[in-house]
Amino acid sequence: MNVLANAPHRRRLALATVTAAALTGGLLTLSAPVASAAAAHAYKADFNHDGYGDVAFAAPYAKVGGKSMAGYVAVVYGSASGLNPAKRTIVSQNTAGVPGTAETEDFFGRALAVADFNKDGYTDLAVGAPGEDNGSDTDGGSVTILWGSASGLKNGTTVKDPSAAKHEAWGSVLAAGDFNGDGKADLASGTAASYAYIVKGGFTKSGTTGGTQKVPTPDKAEFGIDALAAGDTNGDKKADLVLTYRTALTSDPSGSWSKGAAYLGASGGVVATQPRPLNGGTSLALGDIDGDGYDEIAIGNVFSKDDDHTGTLGGQVVVIRGSKGGPVNGDAPMAELTQSATGVPGTDKADDGFGGAVSIGDTNGDGYGDLAIGVVFKDIGAAEDTGLVVLMNGSADGVSRTGARTISQNTAGVPGTAESMDYFGSDLVLSDVTKDGKADLTVGASFEDGGVGAVTALRGSASGITATGSKSFGPGTFGLSRTYGAFGTGLTG
């Protein structure tokens, strides 16, 4: 299919690539989710254990070994001067020591999560390939853990699907957290059905785990799990699991209603029988915005009213406050943000994609988590669907309505130029890669140069994110083919 045929079609295809939302049920064409960068920072990514944070991402639609959309993942390692594209690791299913073989439409890297899964001191990378065929099980999906080492990622082990015959798209979304507080990282995976699974730690390189837990959605999920994230919303040192999904409306079977749910962690795993209802959406991030020790939940929702009954004009982000009792939703979330809200830069416009990606991190070292929001289809001047990032400050009162700003490829000091269909801000991660205590910002532009994709790295500072010393790189920087692949998808760190 021609992905560049027309703007509405491009936007819908991009939603499958750069958000965690499926606009139809097909696995490839508008399909089930990429976990937007945007996952919670339950663990710092340091794959080689040198003290500097690293960033992982994927090109899940790239050709590998002549197989279209087989996909690969990449890690760029941190340093005192930021991400160093010259110091990197590229992994596909054709890499020695990695299970499987690169095949057409595997989408290796469509979902990523980080944790030290085997407790050896090195961060590991969980990789979902939701299009993987397993014998006669078409699109059954797979999850692989790539192991950290002193030289970075090396070798891998398959995480067994606990119920392969009953669903598709195992590994469509991933999140890591210690949900039972036993000190071992657990791994949650979405499926194309109305449930997720938690695979409990500890993990071993031989493939053994600590068992599994099924986590059903409160209602039937028409397209499976859209987004998945983990964090500690009640400060009990056990990770809580947050997910979004969509239901069919009985009054309008052609429509849908996006919903969210939070499951609190407990000694036996998450309390799956008592989901906390949340706003729906397409992207998730957890982090402590108000500095009280409880993680907030940021839920981005790019759906317009034409796409989903929960949609808005140009997208929204709802921030749910954490507390001793867990997420506080009800009628008074911490913030309800659109481009027409007080303190949010820009003007609300139809199909802007505000909230296509979200991430939380302390960019200036003041103890409050700042909120980065991708506005993936924002027009800049005459350039359509260019994209930009909105940065909003954290404070003791929550999301501050002062001092917000935008960053795009037209911002002074940022490499590149704002061009049509870049989708700058399609993936985001705020994480400290310089070991200075301030979160740096890594931005994906998954459709840069007609879908090749690119990544931009910016530094944190005492005044927040700065363009000074920023870098941009794509597959050509790595000596890889500059062809369609959505390089920069699923940023995590």
Side-chain angles (χ1 to χ4, degrees):
M1 117 179 105
N2 181 359
V3 301
L4 308 181
N6 55 71
H9 183 78
R10 291 197 310 267
R11 283 191 170 109
R12 288 175 181 269
L13 179 64
L15 287 175
T17 307
V18 303
T19 75
L23 299 181
T24 73
L27 180 61
L28 166 63
T29 2
L30 311 181
S31 123
V34 167
S36 195
H41 300 305
Y43 303 99
K44 175 184 177 181
D46 184 3
F47 301 107
N48 57 1
H49 197 55
D50 65 354
Y52 294 99
D54 309 318
V55 170
F57 54 90
Y61 305 120
K63 182 181 289 188
V64 175
K67 304 297 184 180
S68 297
M69 302 190 183
Y72 63 82
V73 299
V75 168
V76 177
Y77 299 94
S79 70
S81 59
L83 290 182
N84 180 7
K87 190 176 180 183
R88 60 186 184 263
T89 299
I90 310 297
V91 179
S92 76
Q93 288 180 296
N94 281 356
T95 301
V98 176
T101 302
E103 299 167 319
T104 300
E105 296 182 7
D106 277 351
F107 314 125
F108 185 75
R110 276 276 298 274
L112 303 172
V114 298
D116 182 1
F117 289 109
N118 61 349
K119 296 192 71 173
D120 65 352
Y122 298 98
T123 306
D124 311 305
L125 180 66
V127 182
E132 179 91 39
D133 296 341
N134 298 304
S136 60
D137 184 11
T138 303
D139 296 336
S142 70
V143 175
T144 303
I145 293 179
L146 303 176
W147 302 106
S149 72
S151 57
L153 290 185
K154 186 177 181 181
N155 301 323
T157 300
T158 297
V159 179
K160 184 180 178 181
D161 184 342
S163 186
K166 294 185 178 180
H167 59 247
E168 294 181 350
W170 170 246
S172 57
V173 285
L174 298 171
D178 181 4
F179 300 107
N180 57 7
D182 66 353
K184 302 173 184 177
D186 310 311
L187 179 64
S189 174
T191 69
S194 297
Y195 47 82
Y197 276 103
I198 293 174
V199 182
K200 299 179 181 180
F203 294 83
T204 68
K205 293 183 179 181
S206 64
T208 60
T209 69
T212 60
Q213 179 186 12
K214 186 176 182 178
V215 184
T217 55
D219 309 287
K220 182 181 179 182
E222 288 295 304
F223 308 107
I225 309 300
D226 283 342
L228 196 65
D232 188 0
T233 66
N234 60 357
D236 67 352
K237 309 303 181 184
K238 300 178 182 69
D240 309 314
L241 183 67
V242 182
L243 57 80
T244 63
Y245 62 101
R246 277 167 298 131
T247 64
L249 291 178
T250 55
S251 59
D252 180 8
S254 65
S256 62
W257 194 275
S258 186
K259 297 183 178 182
Y263 303 79
L264 297 185
S267 57
V270 301
V271 186
T273 57
Q274 297 178 25
R276 303 282 186 94
L278 299 176
N279 299 74
T282 55
S283 63
L284 290 168
L286 278 79
D288 186 2
I289 292 175
D290 58 5
D292 65 354
Y294 307 114
D295 280 349
E296 274 67 58
I297 305 170
I299 307 172
N301 189 347
V302 300
F303 285 128
S304 71
K305 293 178 180 178
D306 292 334
D307 296 325
D308 188 278
H309 291 265
T310 63
T312 58
L313 180 64
Q316 67 177 341
V317 175
V318 175
V319 181
I320 308 300
R321 189 183 302 274
S323 75
K324 186 176 181 179
V328 180
N329 195 3
D331 298 323
M334 175 183 280
E336 295 180 280
L337 306 171
T338 68
Q339 290 175 102
S340 61
T342 301
V344 180
T347 302
D348 203 18
K349 181 182 175 184
D351 301 317
D352 270 353
F354 182 85
V358 286
S359 189
I360 298 170
D362 183 1
T363 65
N364 58 4
D366 65 356
Y368 301 108
D370 307 311
L371 176 62
I373 303 169
V375 194
V376 292
F377 307 130
K378 192 71 175 179
D379 298 343
I380 297 180
E384 297 182 349
D385 299 343
T386 298
L388 54 78
V389 179
V390 171
L391 293 168
M392 302 194 71
N393 298 320
S395 74
D397 296 323
V399 180
S400 175
R401 300 308 176 97
T402 61
R405 59 198 182 98
T406 62
I407 292 178
S408 74
Q409 288 178 297
N410 274 4
T411 300
V414 175
T417 303
E419 301 167 315
S420 293
M421 287 178 52
D422 279 348
Y423 304 145
F424 184 84
S426 57
D427 290 88
L428 302 171
V429 64
L430 287 168
S431 61
D432 183 8
V433 302
T434 58
K435 204 167 59 174
D436 66 354
K438 302 175 182 66
D440 308 295
L441 175 64
T442 311
V443 183
S446 63
F447 270 62
E448 178 90 23
D449 294 337
V452 173
V455 171
T456 299
L458 302 102
R459 297 281 300 275
S461 73
S463 57
I465 296 299
T466 175
T468 302
S470 57
K471 306 169 185 176
S472 182
F473 52 90
T477 311
F478 294 178
L480 301 172
S481 175
R482 296 190 71 262
T483 56
Y484 177 78
F487 181 93
T489 295
L491 285 163
T492 189

